[in-house]
Amino acid sequence: MDMLFAKTVVLAASAVGAGTAMIAGIGPGVGQGYAAGKAVESVARQPEAKGDIISTMVLGQAVAESTGIYSLVIALILLYANPFVGLLG
Amino acid sequence: MDMLFAKTVVLAASAVGAGTAMIAGIGPGVGQGYAAGKAVESVARQPEAKGDIISTMVLGQAVAESTGIYSLVIALILLYANPFVGLLG
Amino acid sequence: MDMLFAKTVVLAASAVGAGTAMIAGIGPGVGQGYAAGKAVESVARQPEAKGDIISTMVLGQAVAESTGIYSLVIALILLYANPFVGLLG
Amino acid sequence: MDMLFAKTVVLAASAVGAGTAMIAGIGPGVGQGYAAGKAVESVARQPEAKGDIISTMVLGQAVAESTGIYSLVIALILLYANPFVGLLG
Amino acid sequence: MDMLFAKTVVLAASAVGAGTAMIAGIGPGVGQGYAAGKAVESVARQPEAKGDIISTMVLGQAVAESTGIYSLVIALILLYANPFVGLLG
Amino acid sequence: MDMLFAKTVVLAASAVGAGTAMIAGIGPGVGQGYAAGKAVESVARQPEAKGDIISTMVLGQAVAESTGIYSLVIALILLYANPFVGLLG
Amino acid sequence: MDMLFAKTVVLAASAVGAGTAMIAGIGPGVGQGYAAGKAVESVARQPEAKGDIISTMVLGQAVAESTGIYSLVIALILLYANPFVGLLG
Amino acid sequence: MDMLFAKTVVLAASAVGAGTAMIAGIGPGVGQGYAAGKAVESVARQPEAKGDIISTMVLGQAVAESTGIYSLVIALILLYANPFVGLLG
Amino acid sequence: MDMLFAKTVVLAASAVGAGTAMIAGIGPGVGQGYAAGKAVESVARQPEAKGDIISTMVLGQAVAESTGIYSLVIALILLYANPFVGLLG
Amino acid sequence: MDMLFAKTVVLAASAVGAGTAMIAGIGPGVGQGYAAGKAVESVARQPEAKGDIISTMVLGQAVAESTGIYSLVIALILLYANPFVGLLG
Amino acid sequence: MDMLFAKTVVLAASAVGAGTAMIAGIGPGVGQGYAAGKAVESVARQPEAKGDIISTMVLGQAVAESTGIYSLVIALILLYANPFVGLLG
Amino acid sequence: MDMLFAKTVVLAASAVGAGTAMIAGIGPGVGQGYAAGKAVESVARQPEAKGDIISTMVLGQAVAESTGIYSLVIALILLYANPFVGLLG
Amino acid sequence: MDMLFAKTVVLAASAVGAGTAMIAGIGPGVGQGYAAGKAVESVARQPEAKGDIISTMVLGQAVAESTGIYSLVIALILLYANPFVGLLG
Amino acid sequence: MDMLFAKTVVLAASAVGAGTAMIAGIGPGVGQGYAAGKAVESVARQPEAKGDIISTMVLGQAVAESTGIYSLVIALILLYANPFVGLLG
């Protein structure tokens, strides 16, 4: 079989897989927005605690970011460090 | 196999993958809108805290933006810096 | 292989990808509408804060708009600055 | 390959893509309706603020309209200014 | 290739695309119904504000109608002013 | 190509498209039912405002009906005034 | 091409389209049930307003019925007055 | 073409269409159950109004039943009075 | 064409259609469970009204059962009184 | 045509149909769980009414079970009393 | 036709059908968890009624389990007592 | 037919079926998490009832686990005790 | 038939099945997050009960983890201890 | 059969499977965001308990992270330690 065809199929599947993986971003988007809304509400009630509120929000959001980053990592690997091409050789 | 055919399949898959990745934008859209609604409500109750509220909202939204940006990045890479074409060569 | 066929497949996939990307507009639509509803409610309660409320709402909505704009950008690139055609040549 | 066939495939994909893009209209429809409901409620409570309420509602809805308009723009481009036909030539 | 076949494929895709575009009507339907319910509730509480309530409701619904109309426009164009047929010629 | 085959494909696609378009009826059905429920509740609390309540409800529902009617229109056009058959000739 | 084959394809598509159209019945079913529940609650609180409540409920439900009836109409046309068969001839 | 084959395809499509149409039953099932729950709650609070409550509930449910019955009608027509077979002849 | 093949296709489609139709059971299941939960709550508050509560619940559930039964009927017809086999002959 | 092939297709479709039908079990599962939760809450508040509560819960759940049982019946018929095999002969 | 091929198709369909049937487990999982949460809440409020609460919870959950068990039964029959193999012979 | 091909198809279908069955795990995951959240809330209010609360939570979760375990069992059977291979022989 | 082809199909199906199984992780993710949110809320109200709260939360989450772990186990078996390869031999 | 073709199919399926697995990230994203929002709210009310709140939040989120990590692990194995390639040899 042709190596070029093999690469074509694997890379096309990688492109679709990378796109599918990014859908996970719906979750962190909704969750972080909820946290942001709660932070805004809280700052308005206790402006003196603004520092604590924002640092808590950012910390919480940073953890909630994780699955979005995982998806980004998988997509970037599929794009730039595609290990499948080496496995074909 | 023809290099042109290989490029065709990989680029078509990239176009579909880029479109699919953008769907993740549903999440930040809903989340940031929730934060904006809470900010509006809070500003009306404590107009004197408007600065704090808006800076908190924008910060929170900026983090919630992240997964949408990740999707944009992946889509732009697929469009303008498509690494698959190089891998085919 | 025929260059015309290659362009045909890539451009057809681009059309479908552009349409799929626009679906992300569901998110900002719902989120911004929520913010608008909260703003309306708040203006009725504190009409004297109307300026603050509207500027907050518009700022919040502008950020929530972002993922919708990202999708629009990707779709427009696919339509008017389709980079895939150049990659085929 | 036949240019007619190429146009056929690209235009058929454009028709499907235009239809898919319009689905984004679900979001603004729900969001704007929520804003309208809140405006109605508020007008009944503070009829004297009707002007402020309606102007806020329309402004908020106008922004929420955006992603629906983006979809319309993409669909209209696909229909009336289809750039793909030129790219095929 | 046969012009008749080309028209057949494009028009069949247009019919499916028109049907898909109409699905966006779910959004305005739900949103406008929410606004109508709020208006009914408000009229019962402040019958003396009936004029204001109804004019607000109809204005709000009219804006919420927009994405439904966009879909109708796209579907009607696909049916009666199908630009693709001209592009094929 | 055979004209009969062309008509067959286009009309079959029209039948599927008409069925798909009707799905939009889910939205008005839910929204109008919500309005009806609110009207019933309101009539029970202020029976003396029954006329105002019902006229508001029917007006609001009539507007909410619109996207359902749009779908019906598109479906009926596809069935009885199918413009595609003329375009094929 | 065989007229029988043409009819077969068009009628099969009509059967699938009729079935798909009926799915819209989910919306009125949920909405009318909500109205019925509100009516039951209201009758229990103000039994003396039973006549008003029931007439309001039935009127509201009758309007909410509309999109279900539209679907039924489209399905019945597809079954008993299928206009496509005439268009084929 | 063989009449038997034509009947086979049309009837198979009718069977699938009948099954799809029945899915609409989800809506009335949820809606009627909501009404029943409200009736039970109301009877417990005002047992003396049991007659009114039950008659209201049954009337409301009967209307909510409608889209389920429409689906049943379409399915039964597809099964026992399939008009497509006659159209094929 | 072979009568056996015709029967095979139609009966296979009937089996799939019967399975699809049963999905409607999700609706009554959720709705009846809601009614049951409300009945349990009410019995605990007014044990002396247990008879009324249970008879109301069962009556309401019986009506809510209807769409589930319709699906069962369609499925049983497809299984045991399959009218399509006769139509093929 | 081969009778074995006919049986194969019909039985394979029956297996898929039986699996699909069981999905309806989601509805009763959620609904009965809601009823159970309400019963637990009620028993804790009125332990002296435990008998009434449990008998009401079980009765309500038994009715809510019905659509799950219908699905089971259809699946079992497809498995053990498959009427299609006889129809093929 | 080959008996081995017949068995292969039927058993493959059985494997997919068994997997599909298990999806029904989502319903009881959510419902039983709701009941467990309510039980935990109730035990904390009335620890002296722990016995009654737990017995009610387990009874309610046991009934809610039913549709999950039905799915398990169908899957196990498809795996271990596959009646289709006998029907093929 | 080749026994190896038969095994291949059946085992591939088993792998897909096992993966599909595991999706049921969404239900218990949500439900058990709800129970855990309620337990945490209750422990904070009545720390002296911690033993009762935890034992109730674990018991309730254990029952809610059941459909997840059923799926695991079906998947493990498909993997390690695949009865289909024996049926093929 | 070729053993290599058999392995290819079975292993490709295993890869897809493993990916599908991991989707179950949505459930525990949502549920455990709910529990964590309730724990945070409770700790803020009763900081002196922090130990009890955290141990309850972790215990509850650990059980809710189970279906996620089941999916992981099935996926790992499909990857590292794929029993299907042995069954093919 | 060609070893290269075998690798191609298995690796393409691995790419799609890895992308599908990442979708599970929706769950932890929503759940962790809920926890973060609750933490922000709590810190604003009891700033003196900030340490306890944050440590509880991070602990709870860390557990909720698990299913996202499982998906990442499966995806990374599919990418970098793909065991299927060895099984083919």
Side-chain angles (χ1 to χ4, degrees):
Chain A
M1 204 186 88
D2 194 344
M3 174 54 91
L4 184 54
F5 178 72
K7 281 187 182 169
T8 304
V9 172
V10 167
L11 291 178
S14 297
V16 171
T20 309
M22 297 315 290
I23 293 178
I26 292 175
V30 172
Q32 290 171 337
Y34 176 81
K38 286 292 175 191
V40 167
E41 219 174 11
S42 303
V43 161
R45 280 202 200 118
Q46 284 90 5
E48 71 283 0
K50 198 193 160 187
D52 286 348
I53 290 169
I54 285 187
S55 60
T56 308
M57 179 192 77
V58 171
L59 177 57
Q61 285 181 322
V63 183
E65 187 69 28
S66 50
T67 55
I69 293 177
Y70 296 168
S71 292
L72 182 66
V73 166
I74 294 297
L76 285 176
I77 291 174
L78 283 169
L79 290 178
Y80 279 120
N82 201 301
F84 294 150
V85 173
L87 290 173
L88 285 175
Chain B
M1 204 186 89
D2 194 344
M3 174 56 90
L4 184 54
F5 179 72
K7 281 186 182 169
T8 304
V9 172
V10 167
L11 291 178
S14 297
V16 170
T20 309
M22 297 316 290
I23 293 178
I26 292 175
V30 172
Q32 290 171 337
Y34 175 81
K38 285 292 176 192
V40 167
E41 218 174 11
S42 303
V43 161
R45 279 200 200 119
Q46 284 89 5
E48 71 283 359
K50 198 194 160 188
D52 285 348
I53 289 169
I54 285 186
S55 60
T56 308
M57 178 192 77
V58 171
L59 177 57
Q61 284 182 322
V63 183
E65 188 68 29
S66 51
T67 55
I69 293 178
Y70 296 167
S71 292
L72 182 65
V73 166
I74 294 297
L76 285 176
I77 291 174
L78 283 168
L79 290 178
Y80 280 119
N82 201 300
F84 295 150
V85 173
L87 290 173
L88 285 174
Chain C
M1 204 186 90
D2 195 344
M3 173 56 90
L4 184 55
F5 179 72
K7 281 186 182 168
T8 304
V9 172
V10 168
L11 292 178
S14 297
V16 170
T20 310
M22 297 316 290
I23 293 178
I26 293 174
V30 172
Q32 291 171 336
Y34 176 81
K38 285 293 175 190
V40 167
E41 219 174 10
S42 303
V43 161
R45 279 200 201 120
Q46 284 89 5
E48 70 283 359
K50 197 194 160 188
D52 285 348
I53 289 169
I54 285 186
S55 60
T56 308
M57 178 192 78
V58 171
L59 177 57
Q61 285 181 322
V63 183
E65 187 69 28
S66 51
T67 55
I69 293 177
Y70 297 168
S71 292
L72 181 65
V73 166
I74 294 297
L76 285 176
I77 291 174
L78 283 168
L79 290 177
Y80 280 118
N82 200 300
F84 294 151
V85 173
L87 289 173
L88 285 174
Chain D
M1 204 186 90
D2 195 344
M3 174 56 90
L4 184 55
F5 179 72
K7 281 186 182 168
T8 304
V9 172
V10 168
L11 292 178
S14 298
V16 170
T20 309
M22 297 316 290
I23 293 177
I26 292 174
V30 172
Q32 291 172 336
Y34 176 81
K38 285 294 175 189
V40 167
E41 220 173 10
S42 303
V43 161
R45 279 201 201 120
Q46 284 88 4
E48 71 284 358
K50 198 194 160 188
D52 286 347
I53 290 170
I54 285 186
S55 60
T56 308
M57 178 192 77
V58 171
L59 177 58
Q61 285 181 323
V63 183
E65 188 69 28
S66 50
T67 55
I69 292 177
Y70 296 168
S71 292
L72 181 65
V73 166
I74 294 297
L76 285 176
I77 291 174
L78 284 169
L79 291 178
Y80 279 118
N82 202 299
F84 294 150
V85 173
L87 289 173
L88 285 174
Chain E
M1 203 186 90
D2 195 345
M3 173 57 90
L4 184 56
F5 178 72
K7 281 187 182 168
T8 304
V9 172
V10 168
L11 291 178
S14 298
V16 170
T20 310
M22 298 315 291
I23 294 178
I26 293 174
V30 171
Q32 291 171 336
Y34 176 81
K38 285 294 174 188
V40 167
E41 220 173 10
S42 303
V43 161
R45 279 201 200 120
Q46 284 87 5
E48 70 284 358
K50 197 193 161 189
D52 285 347
I53 289 170
I54 285 187
S55 60
T56 309
M57 178 191 78
V58 170
L59 178 57
Q61 285 181 322
V63 183
E65 188 69 28
S66 51
T67 55
I69 292 178
Y70 296 167
S71 292
L72 181 65
V73 166
I74 294 297
L76 285 176
I77 291 174
L78 284 168
L79 291 178
Y80 280 119
N82 201 299
F84 295 150
V85 174
L87 289 173
L88 286 174
Chain F
M1 204 186 90
D2 195 344
M3 174 56 90
L4 184 55
F5 178 72
K7 281 187 182 169
T8 304
V9 172
V10 168
L11 292 178
S14 298
V16 170
T20 309
M22 298 315 291
I23 293 178
I26 293 174
V30 171
Q32 291 171 336
Y34 175 80
K38 285 294 176 189
V40 166
E41 220 173 9
S42 303
V43 161
R45 280 200 201 120
Q46 284 87 5
E48 70 285 358
K50 198 193 161 189
D52 285 347
I53 289 169
I54 285 186
S55 60
T56 308
M57 178 191 78
V58 170
L59 177 58
Q61 284 181 323
V63 183
E65 187 69 28
S66 50
T67 55
I69 293 178
Y70 297 168
S71 292
L72 181 65
V73 166
I74 294 297
L76 286 176
I77 291 173
L78 284 169
L79 291 178
Y80 279 119
N82 202 299
F84 295 150
V85 173
L87 289 173
L88 285 174
Chain G
M1 204 185 89
D2 195 345
M3 174 56 91
L4 184 55
F5 178 72
K7 282 187 181 169
T8 303
V9 172
V10 168
L11 292 178
S14 298
V16 170
T20 309
M22 297 315 291
I23 293 177
I26 293 175
V30 172
Q32 291 171 336
Y34 175 81
K38 285 293 176 190
V40 166
E41 220 174 10
S42 303
V43 161
R45 279 200 201 121
Q46 284 88 4
E48 70 285 358
K50 198 193 161 190
D52 285 347
I53 289 169
I54 284 186
S55 60
T56 308
M57 177 190 79
V58 170
L59 177 57
Q61 285 181 323
V63 183
E65 188 69 28
S66 50
T67 55
I69 293 178
Y70 296 168
S71 293
L72 181 65
V73 165
I74 294 298
L76 286 176
I77 291 174
L78 284 169
L79 290 178
Y80 279 119
N82 202 299
F84 295 150
V85 173
L87 289 173
L88 285 174
Chain H
M1 204 185 89
D2 195 344
M3 174 55 92
L4 184 56
F5 178 71
K7 281 186 182 170
T8 304
V9 172
V10 168
L11 292 178
S14 298
V16 170
T20 309
M22 297 316 290
I23 293 177
I26 293 174
V30 172
Q32 291 171 336
Y34 176 81
K38 285 294 175 189
V40 166
E41 220 174 9
S42 304
V43 160
R45 280 200 201 120
Q46 285 88 3
E48 70 284 359
K50 198 193 161 190
D52 285 347
I53 290 169
I54 284 187
S55 61
T56 308
M57 178 191 78
V58 170
L59 177 57
Q61 284 181 324
V63 183
E65 188 68 28
S66 50
T67 55
I69 293 178
Y70 297 168
S71 293
L72 181 66
V73 165
I74 294 297
L76 287 175
I77 291 174
L78 283 169
L79 291 178
Y80 280 120
N82 202 298
F84 295 150
V85 174
L87 290 173
L88 285 175
Chain I
M1 205 185 90
D2 195 344
M3 174 56 91
L4 183 56
F5 178 71
K7 281 186 181 169
T8 303
V9 173
V10 168
L11 291 178
S14 298
V16 170
T20 309
M22 297 316 290
I23 292 177
I26 292 174
V30 171
Q32 291 171 337
Y34 176 81
K38 285 294 174 187
V40 166
E41 219 174 11
S42 303
V43 161
R45 280 200 201 119
Q46 285 88 3
E48 70 284 359
K50 198 193 161 189
D52 285 346
I53 290 169
I54 285 187
S55 60
T56 308
M57 178 191 78
V58 170
L59 177 57
Q61 284 181 324
V63 183
E65 188 68 28
S66 50
T67 56
I69 293 178
Y70 297 168
S71 293
L72 181 66
V73 165
I74 294 297
L76 286 175
I77 292 173
L78 283 168
L79 291 177
Y80 280 120
N82 202 299
F84 294 150
V85 174
L87 289 173
L88 285 175
Chain J
M1 204 186 89
D2 195 344
M3 174 56 91
L4 184 54
F5 178 72
K7 281 186 182 169
T8 303
V9 173
V10 168
L11 291 178
S14 298
V16 170
T20 310
M22 297 316 290
I23 292 177
I26 292 174
V30 172
Q32 291 170 337
Y34 176 81
K38 285 293 174 189
V40 166
E41 219 174 10
S42 303
V43 161
R45 279 200 201 120
Q46 284 89 4
E48 70 283 359
K50 197 193 161 189
D52 285 347
I53 290 169
I54 285 187
S55 60
T56 308
M57 178 191 78
V58 171
L59 177 56
Q61 284 181 324
V63 182
E65 188 69 28
S66 50
T67 56
I69 293 177
Y70 297 168
S71 292
L72 182 65
V73 165
I74 294 297
L76 286 176
I77 291 174
L78 283 169
L79 290 177
Y80 280 120
N82 202 300
F84 294 150
V85 174
L87 289 173
L88 285 174
Chain K
M1 205 186 89
D2 194 344
M3 174 55 91
L4 184 54
F5 178 72
K7 280 186 181 169
T8 303
V9 173
V10 168
L11 292 178
S14 298
V16 170
T20 309
M22 297 316 290
I23 293 177
I26 292 175
V30 172
Q32 291 170 337
Y34 176 82
K38 285 292 175 190
V40 166
E41 219 174 11
S42 303
V43 161
R45 279 201 202 120
Q46 284 89 4
E48 70 283 358
K50 198 193 161 188
D52 285 347
I53 290 169
I54 284 187
S55 60
T56 308
M57 178 191 78
V58 171
L59 177 57
Q61 284 181 323
V63 182
E65 187 69 28
S66 50
T67 56
I69 293 178
Y70 297 168
S71 292
L72 181 66
V73 165
I74 294 297
L76 286 176
I77 291 174
L78 283 168
L79 290 178
Y80 279 120
N82 201 300
F84 294 150
V85 174
L87 289 173
L88 286 174
Chain L
M1 205 186 89
D2 194 344
M3 174 56 92
L4 184 53
F5 178 73
K7 280 186 181 170
T8 304
V9 172
V10 167
L11 292 179
S14 297
V16 170
T20 309
M22 297 316 290
I23 293 177
I26 292 175
V30 172
Q32 291 170 337
Y34 175 81
K38 285 292 175 190
V40 166
E41 218 175 11
S42 303
V43 160
R45 280 201 200 118
Q46 284 89 4
E48 70 283 359
K50 198 193 160 187
D52 285 348
I53 290 168
I54 285 186
S55 60
T56 308
M57 178 191 78
V58 171
L59 177 56
Q61 284 181 323
V63 182
E65 187 69 29
S66 49
T67 56
I69 293 178
Y70 296 168
S71 292
L72 181 66
V73 165
I74 294 297
L76 285 176
I77 291 174
L78 283 169
L79 290 178
Y80 279 120
N82 201 300
F84 295 150
V85 174
L87 290 173
L88 285 174
Chain M
M1 204 187 90
D2 194 344
M3 174 55 91
L4 184 53
F5 178 73
K7 280 186 181 169
T8 304
V9 172
V10 167
L11 291 178
S14 297
V16 170
T20 309
M22 297 316 289
I23 293 177
I26 292 175
V30 172
Q32 290 170 337
Y34 176 82
K38 285 292 175 191
V40 167
E41 219 174 11
S42 303
V43 161
R45 280 202 200 118
Q46 285 89 4
E48 71 282 359
K50 198 193 159 187
D52 285 348
I53 290 169
I54 285 187
S55 60
T56 308
M57 178 191 78
V58 171
L59 177 56
Q61 284 181 323
V63 182
E65 187 69 29
S66 50
T67 55
I69 293 178
Y70 296 169
S71 292
L72 181 66
V73 165
I74 294 297
L76 286 176
I77 291 174
L78 283 168
L79 290 178
Y80 279 119
N82 201 300
F84 295 150
V85 174
L87 289 173
L88 286 173
Chain N
M1 205 186 89
D2 194 345
M3 174 55 91
L4 184 54
F5 178 73
K7 280 186 182 169
T8 303
V9 172
V10 167
L11 291 178
S14 298
V16 171
T20 309
M22 297 315 290
I23 293 178
I26 293 175
V30 172
Q32 290 170 337
Y34 176 80
K38 286 292 175 191
V40 167
E41 218 174 11
S42 303
V43 161
R45 280 202 200 118
Q46 285 90 4
E48 71 283 359
K50 198 193 159 186
D52 285 348
I53 290 169
I54 285 186
S55 60
T56 308
M57 178 191 78
V58 171
L59 177 57
Q61 284 181 323
V63 183
E65 187 68 29
S66 50
T67 55
I69 293 178
Y70 296 168
S71 292
L72 181 66
V73 166
I74 294 296
L76 285 176
I77 291 174
L78 284 169
L79 289 178
Y80 279 119
N82 201 301
F84 295 150
V85 174
L87 289 172
L88 285 174

